[in-house]
Amino acid sequence: MAAKWIETLTGSLDQKKQYKAYKARIEALPEPYRGSAKAFERYFMYYGGVTDGDTLITMVSDFADLWERASVDGTPVREIVGDDPVGFAEDFARAYDGKQWIDKERKRLTDAIDQATAQQK
């Protein structure tokens, strides 16, 4: 009962465990994969904005899989990301179209304009 109440306030405890496991997987990567993965991770935090926990966990798990496989196979980082790391990051993030923080603001803006224009009629 208490766990359900805590999860209501803080989010899924299972997702937190999965996210910590993802972070450990990235830390275990050899260079240059670890440094590259961390750089993309930073970018995702600014660009991605995914707020749905299930989508985020799927995305970071797939991301860790990508870098672990590249590390095992010895695939050069540039062969993975190409000449445009920003394009790669944004394409990767767009593949996970969960609920994003901007969705709330889009609705808020639309509702405000609807309310403002309703008064003009």
Side-chain angles (χ1 to χ4, degrees):
M1 177 78 168
K4 193 72 165 163
W5 180 80
I6 291 170
E7 283 192 8
T8 300
L9 291 176
T10 64
S12 169
L13 296 175
D14 188 46
Q15 288 174 351
K16 286 178 177 42
K17 289 176 187 174
Q18 291 173 325
Y19 187 76
K20 285 183 180 182
Y22 152 75
K23 295 293 278 182
R25 290 172 67 190
I26 296 300
E27 281 301 320
L29 291 169
E31 288 298 342
Y33 305 100
R34 179 178 48 241
S36 298
K38 285 182 174 185
F40 280 108
E41 186 179 79
R42 254 188 323 274
Y43 190 78
F44 290 148
M45 292 302 142
Y46 289 101
Y47 174 79
V50 174
T51 60
D52 173 48
D54 291 332
T55 303
L56 180 64
I57 293 303
T58 300
M59 182 176 119
V60 297
S61 179
D62 291 350
F63 187 69
D65 289 347
L66 170 74
W67 290 107
E68 286 172 339
R69 173 57 41 204
S71 171
V72 167
D73 293 345
T75 307
V77 170
R78 281 287 181 188
E79 198 171 303
I80 298 165
V81 304
D83 294 331
D84 182 12
V86 171
F88 171 83
E90 292 178 2
D91 287 345
F92 187 89
R94 268 193 298 271
Y96 300 89
D97 60 349
K99 187 176 175 185
Q100 297 184 347
W101 66 268
I102 196 67
D103 296 339
K104 179 179 168 184
E105 294 307 317
R106 287 177 178 141
K107 181 174 179 357
R108 184 179 288 170
L109 174 61
T110 302
D111 291 349
I113 297 303
D114 288 348
Q115 184 178 11
T117 57
Q119 295 171 2
Q120 289 180 330
K121 294 180 182 181

